[in-house]
Amino acid sequence: MAKTFDAIIIGAGQAGPPLAARLTAAGKTVALIEREQVGGTCVNTGCTPTKALVASAKIAHSVAHAREYGISLDGGAHVDFEAVMRRALAISAKSRSSVETWLEGMKALTLVRGHARFTGPKCIRVGEDSYEADQIFLNVGARAAIPDLPGIDQVEVLTNSDLFWLKQRPEHLVIVGGSYIGLEFAQMFRRFGSHVTIVERGAHLATKEDPDTSEAIRSVLEAEDIAVRTNAECIRFSRTEAGPAVGVDCTSGEPEIACSHILLAVGRRPNTDDLGLDQTGVELDKRGVVQVNDRLETSVPGIWALGDCNGKGAFTHTSYNDFEIVAANLLDGGDRKVSDRVVSYGLYIDPPLGRTGLSETEAVSKGYKVLIGKRPMSRVGRAVEKGETQGQMKIVVDAESRAVLGGAIFGPGGDEAIHSVLDMIQMGATVDDLNRTMHIHPTVAELIPTISGELAPAAES
C-alpha cells in the first residue's frame, strides 16, 4: 500500500529543501526523495567546492606575483595539490551536513533515500516502497553531457565531478569546451601548475558574451600561458604510447594534442531519462528538458519542475528563484512568473565576470537602438590600485527610452558590482536615474554611473 503525502519533492538540490521548509511550515506533509547527496550540484560538485578551488588558485597566483607588490617571499611557494583538494571537499561536506541538519529538523518531512521512478501520474516507487501525493515537484538537476565523439571509448575522460577525486595534479589537462565550467577549471589548474589547453569548437570562448568580452577573457587566460584552440572541428580522441591525445582540425596549431588528462565540459543534460516520466504524461523536449509554463507547471496538473531540469536557467540562483516563484504562487496567493526575472550570472575566473540583462549583441538582434558605455579596467582607479587592470566594464542602454538593458563587468569585483546594474534593470530604471546615485570611492561600481554618462551609439544599431 502506498504511503500518502500532501506533496512529494524529487531531488534535494537548491529548490527542494527550501520548498520542503515552506510546505511543512504551512502544515503539509512532505516526502523529499534524494538518491545521492543532499544539496545538489551546487553543494557537492558545483559552486561550493569549485569556488573553494578558485580561492586556492588565487592565493597561488598572488604568491607567485608577490614581488610586483613589493613583497619578498624567500624560498617561494609550493602548491600541495592534495591539501587543496581536501580543503575544497571539507567545505563541501560541511555545507552538505548543514542541509541535512536543516532537513532533519522539519517535523512534517520524511527524507527518503533512493532512486525515484514514476509508476503512474501521481505514484512513485523507491525500492520496495510506493509514495503518492496530489502535488509533485521535480528538482532532479542535471549532469555533464558525454557526446559520442570519435575515439571517446579509447581514452578515459573526466567530467567536472570527477576532478575532485584526483590524487595528483594533471601534468597536461586538455579541456574540451570553452564555456564557463571549462574556463574556471582551466585557470585554476594552470595556477596549480598544470599545463592546460582549451579546445573550443566556436570562434570565441564563452560564446554567450559579446565578442569584445570573449576576447578579453581569452587575453587573460593566454597571459597565464593557457593554450586556446578555437574553431576546433572534428574533435576526436586516441590513445598513443605516451598517453591520451586529442585530435582537432583548427585554422592553426598542431592537429594532435598529447596530454595526461582530458576534461569534457561541453554542456549538461537533465536527469530525467530514468524517472519513468513516460508514465506521467509530462512533456519533455528532445534533450529531456521538462517543458514548463511561466509558473513552472508541467503539462500534467499538479506536477511542477524546478531547477536545471526545466531549462530555465541552470544556475543555483535560478533554481532558488524557481522555489520562490512556486512557493509564492502556491502559498502566498502570488502571481510570480519566470519571465519577470532578469538574466544574470557570473564567470568565476580571476578576474570574475558579472553579466546581467541583454548583451550588446542580444539587444541589437532584438531590434533595439542601443547606446554603449564602456571602459577598460586600466582606467578604473580601484583596479589600478589592486594591480588588476585586465578586463573591461560595459553598460547597454536603450537609445529611445534610456532604460538600462544590460551590463557586463569583467574585472576585480565584477561578480559583485554587477548587482548595481541588475537592480536598476529589475526596477525599470533609466540611465538618468543611475547617474543621480552616489557611489562609494574607491570602488569598481562607482564607474558605472561614469560610463553611463559617456554613452555612444553601437556600431551595429
Side-chain angles (χ1 to χ4, degrees):
M1 186 172 178
K3 301 176 183 179
T4 303
F5 294 84
D6 294 320
I8 295 173
I9 302 169
I10 304 177
Q14 289 303 299
L19 181 59
R22 282 297 314 273
L23 292 171
T24 55
K28 295 180 179 292
T29 57
V30 179
L32 176 58
I33 305 172
E34 174 54 57
R35 65 177 170 180
E36 293 183 355
Q37 296 174 317
V38 301
T41 297
C42 178
V43 167
N44 296 292
T45 60
C47 313
T48 299
T50 59
K51 277 46 185 184
L53 292 178
V54 167
S56 292
K58 172 73 170 177
I59 294 296
H61 184 72
S62 296
V63 169
H65 291 265
R67 287 187 179 275
E68 298 171 17
Y69 294 81
I71 308 298
S72 178
L73 295 173
D74 294 334
H78 168 70
V79 175
D80 185 336
F81 184 74
E82 287 193 65
V84 165
M85 301 304 282
R86 281 198 305 269
R87 175 181 179 272
L89 291 173
I91 292 172
S92 176
K94 184 176 180 180
S95 183
R96 182 170 58 250
S97 178
S98 295
V99 177
E100 290 172 340
T101 300
W102 182 29
L103 294 173
E104 290 166 359
M106 297 180 197
K107 293 184 179 179
L109 175 71
T110 299
L111 179 59
V112 180
R113 300 283 189 168
H115 187 166
R117 290 183 176 85
F118 282 91
T119 57
K122 297 296 177 69
C123 187
I124 297 165
R125 192 166 188 83
V126 182
E128 299 299 318
D129 298 320
S130 293
Y131 302 85
E132 292 183 352
D134 289 332
Q135 295 180 333
I136 296 177
F137 305 89
L138 306 177
N139 182 221
V140 296
R143 64 188 185 275
I146 308 294
D148 187 20
L149 295 169
I152 198 167
D153 57 337
Q154 299 179 29
V155 295
E156 179 182 359
V157 295
L158 303 170
T159 68
N160 63 298
S161 300
D162 300 323
L163 288 177
F164 295 105
W165 306 106
L166 291 177
K167 299 299 182 184
Q168 293 182 324
R169 182 194 69 200
E171 281 299 313
H172 185 177
L173 177 65
V174 172
I175 299 174
V176 180
S179 195
Y180 306 95
I181 292 174
L183 299 184
E184 290 176 19
F185 278 109
Q187 188 184 54
M188 72 172 73
F189 273 90
R190 180 68 192 109
R191 290 180 170 189
F192 292 151
S194 301
H195 295 290
V196 177
T197 301
I198 300 169
V199 174
E200 165 57 39
R201 272 182 169 162
H204 300 282
L205 301 178
T207 54
K208 287 184 180 179
E209 310 309 323
D210 287 327
D212 58 343
T213 301
S214 296
E215 287 307 303
I217 292 170
R218 179 171 185 159
S219 295
V220 166
L221 298 176
E222 289 184 330
E224 296 189 28
D225 293 326
I226 295 171
V228 178
R229 303 285 297 274
T230 49
N231 295 305
E233 298 293 339
C234 303
I235 298 172
R236 57 199 180 274
F237 305 97
S238 63
R239 176 160 291 281
T240 69
E241 292 184 2
V246 179
V248 294
D249 292 335
C250 292
T251 53
S252 63
E254 294 298 321
E256 189 171 81
I257 309 163
C259 60
S260 62
H261 295 75
I262 300 168
L263 168 64
L264 285 183
V266 291
R268 296 177 68 76
R269 58 178 296 184
N271 294 321
T272 57
D273 50 337
D274 57 1
L275 293 178
L277 286 173
D278 57 317
Q279 302 295 313
T280 68
V282 168
E283 183 181 349
L284 308 176
D285 73 3
K286 62 182 180 181
R287 297 184 299 120
V289 175
V290 182
Q291 300 300 282
V292 295
N293 62 17
D294 219 13
R295 294 165 61 91
L296 299 169
E297 298 162 327
T298 71
S299 55
V300 176
I303 301 180
W304 291 257
L306 303 85
D308 294 5
C309 69
N310 67 22
K312 296 295 183 180
F315 297 105
T316 293
H317 52 279
T318 52
S319 182
Y320 189 84
N321 187 243
D322 285 355
F323 143 67
E324 293 177 314
I325 291 170
V326 170
N329 294 343
L330 283 178
L331 302 174
D332 302 331
D335 185 25
R336 294 185 58 174
K337 300 173 180 137
V338 174
S339 56
D340 290 337
R341 66 190 180 201
V342 178
V343 173
S344 57
Y345 54 85
L347 166 62
Y348 294 94
I349 61 172
D350 178 31
L353 167 70
R355 258 269 280 126
T356 189
L358 299 177
S359 68
E360 177 183 350
T361 304
E362 291 167 339
V364 171
S365 70
K366 289 179 179 291
Y368 286 100
K369 291 186 179 300
V370 299
L371 300 173
I372 302 298
K374 188 173 174 182
R375 178 168 292 211
M377 283 294 162
S378 59
R379 292 181 55 219
V380 177
R382 184 63 171 148
V384 173
E385 293 151 7
K386 296 181 74 173
E388 300 175 14
T389 56
Q390 296 171 304
Q392 63 181 31
M393 55 198 310
K394 184 175 184 179
I395 190 169
V396 183
V397 174
D398 181 358
E400 295 178 358
S401 70
R402 295 184 65 80
V404 180
L405 298 177
I409 302 179
F410 179 43
D415 54 328
E416 299 286 353
I418 196 63
H419 286 87
S420 295
V421 183
L422 167 59
D423 293 342
M424 299 298 286
I425 299 172
Q426 188 71 60
M427 292 186 293
T430 68
V431 71
D432 303 302
D433 297 320
L434 181 59
N435 287 338
R436 287 193 291 270
T437 61
M438 180 181 72
H439 285 231
I440 297 169
H441 175 79
T443 62
V444 170
E446 69 175 316
L447 269 295
I448 299 171
T450 300
I451 63 172
S452 69
E454 303 171 348
L455 298 172
E460 298 89 345
S461 63

